[in-house]
Amino acid sequence: MKNSRRSLLSTLLRSTAVLATALTLGTAFAQSGKPIRVLVGFPPGGGSDAIARLLSEKLKNELGVSVVVENRPGAGGQIAAQALKAAAPDGTTLFLSHDHTISILPQVVKNPGFDPVHDFVPVGGFATFVNAFAVSGGTPARSFNDYVGWVRTSGSGKGAVGVPAPASTPEFLVKLVGQKYQLDLVAAPYRGSAPMMADMLGNQIAAGVGSVPDFIENHKAGKVRVVAVLGNKRQGAMPDVPTFDELGLKGFDDLPYYGIYAPAGTPQKFVTDFSAALSRVVAIPEVRDQLTGMGLTVGYMTPEQLATRQAAYTEAWSRIIKTSGFVAQ
């Protein structure tokens, strides 16, 4: 009997502690009476937008406050990043971004209007992913080698390849592919993956490079064909697609990442509490399955781990950018 009472008391104490933590967390975010804005640097309909809306819905339940996605498309996420820098550091504004805006853009734009190291605070990461090369349904290519042969025969070695943003990882990949296969490939920059995909679906452009989440649904539907992915490991969402490592294009082992950031000066309690909520959300089997289905490799990163990955990826691409001869514009 005593053991039963002891067990019951222990259970009640744990339940009370959990409830108290939840109430404290909810109160911390609800004090301002304002919803949390999650800025996204690309238009609705793209991979980043879909990911942000999935996470925001679940975070709302965790935090007990409204979490609203706000699209600020343009300049490869630069506009959204500048909006984050200008936002009050009061815990009501966050920025969901992948590697391009945080690690690449500050190296390829002379005056980006923000410094991610000094102007932002890492809140937490939740996934890595790879970029992919895809062809539109109007091309006869069924493989990457087919595409190379098609460009050589039908385009005299010339071709345009869509990329979601100028001076981005996809644009550098287009240059490297052109160099390796002796093709005159020109990167055609778009304002995000959604308009690029629209042109690919309309056969206005024969190929595009973007993240796996950008292509996954239309690839599964047979509307576009992903013919190669970066890295040295095939993707679980599309196991039949070879890697560029297999095809002989190496040097892309550092995986792009997704993370959430707050303005510099945001109270540490907010950063800690929101990061903890993010860790709980990405542990939900339904969320993990949906993100995996989008082509992501799901894994929570603490603020410190996100900062470390950001620094390593930035350094890796600094070497690639210098080797390419690209000059910041």
Side-chain angles (χ1 to χ4, degrees):
M1 180 68 72
K2 288 183 179 179
N3 288 338
S4 298
R5 287 176 179 171
R6 226 180 260 121
S7 177
L8 177 60
L9 179 60
S10 177
T11 300
L12 288 172
L13 287 173
R14 283 199 302 270
S15 299
T16 302
V18 171
L19 178 60
T21 300
L23 289 173
T24 302
L25 181 62
T27 301
F29 287 96
Q31 282 177 349
S32 68
K34 298 178 182 179
I36 296 172
R37 294 187 302 155
V38 178
L39 302 174
V40 175
F42 296 93
S48 294
D49 178 70
I51 292 164
R53 292 183 187 279
L54 169 62
L55 293 179
S56 294
E57 181 64 28
K58 300 301 182 182
L59 284 166
K60 177 182 68 175
N61 298 334
E62 285 289 331
L63 302 174
V65 296
S66 178
V67 182
V68 180
V69 174
E70 185 175 309
N71 298 89
R72 293 288 190 94
Q78 186 175 352
I79 293 173
Q82 292 173 350
L84 182 72
K85 177 183 176 180
D90 59 3
T92 63
T93 305
L94 297 169
F95 179 35
L96 184 146
S97 178
H98 53 52
D99 62 288
H100 172 70
T101 310
I102 302 298
S103 288
I104 307 296
L105 197 148
Q107 301 190 69
V108 297
V109 175
K110 286 184 178 179
N111 298 300
F114 69 95
D115 180 341
V117 175
H118 296 99
D119 297 329
F120 302 161
V121 175
V123 173
F126 57 89
T128 58
F129 64 97
V130 298
N131 285 296
F133 196 106
V135 297
S136 66
T139 65
R142 292 294 183 273
S143 69
F144 181 77
N145 288 333
D146 285 350
Y147 170 77
V148 171
W150 178 73
V151 172
R152 283 177 176 157
T153 56
S154 67
S156 300
K158 298 181 179 181
V161 181
V163 297
S168 57
T169 300
E171 179 168 333
F172 287 111
L173 176 61
V174 172
K175 289 183 179 180
L176 292 173
V177 167
Q179 290 171 3
K180 178 172 178 57
Y181 294 95
Q182 299 181 332
L183 300 175
D184 184 10
L185 297 181
V186 177
Y190 285 80
R191 288 170 57 89
S193 60
M196 178 185 77
M197 183 58 64
D199 273 5
M200 289 185 69
L201 293 174
N203 294 314
Q204 299 301 306
I205 193 164
V209 178
S211 69
V212 168
D214 292 334
F215 294 123
I216 187 71
E217 292 304 319
N218 285 305
H219 172 78
K220 289 179 178 178
K223 296 178 180 178
V224 302
R225 291 183 290 278
V226 175
V227 293
V229 296
L230 283 178
N232 55 17
K233 184 179 179 181
R234 292 196 180 197
Q235 297 300 294
M238 43 182 68
D240 295 333
V241 178
T243 68
F244 270 114
D245 192 77
E246 292 176 62
L247 295 171
L249 186 61
K250 300 180 184 296
F252 292 93
D253 296 339
D254 286 282
L255 296 180
Y257 58 89
Y258 265 105
I260 294 178
Y261 295 83
T266 298
Q268 184 58 44
K269 176 171 176 52
F270 169 82
V271 174
T272 301
D273 287 352
F274 194 95
S275 191
L278 177 65
S279 73
R280 293 193 295 273
V281 164
V282 298
I284 298 171
E286 171 196 350
V287 174
R288 187 174 281 270
D289 289 347
Q290 288 187 59
L291 292 175
T292 300
M294 293 178 186
L296 300 180
T297 298
V298 183
Y300 167 71
M301 290 175 268
T302 66
E304 295 76 18
Q305 289 170 330
L306 175 59
T308 298
R309 176 168 284 278
Q310 173 186 328
Y313 194 84
T314 300
E315 175 59 28
W317 272 92
S318 175
R319 295 191 296 269
I320 293 173
I321 292 168
K322 287 177 182 176
T323 300
S324 75
F326 184 88
V327 178
Q329 300 172 354

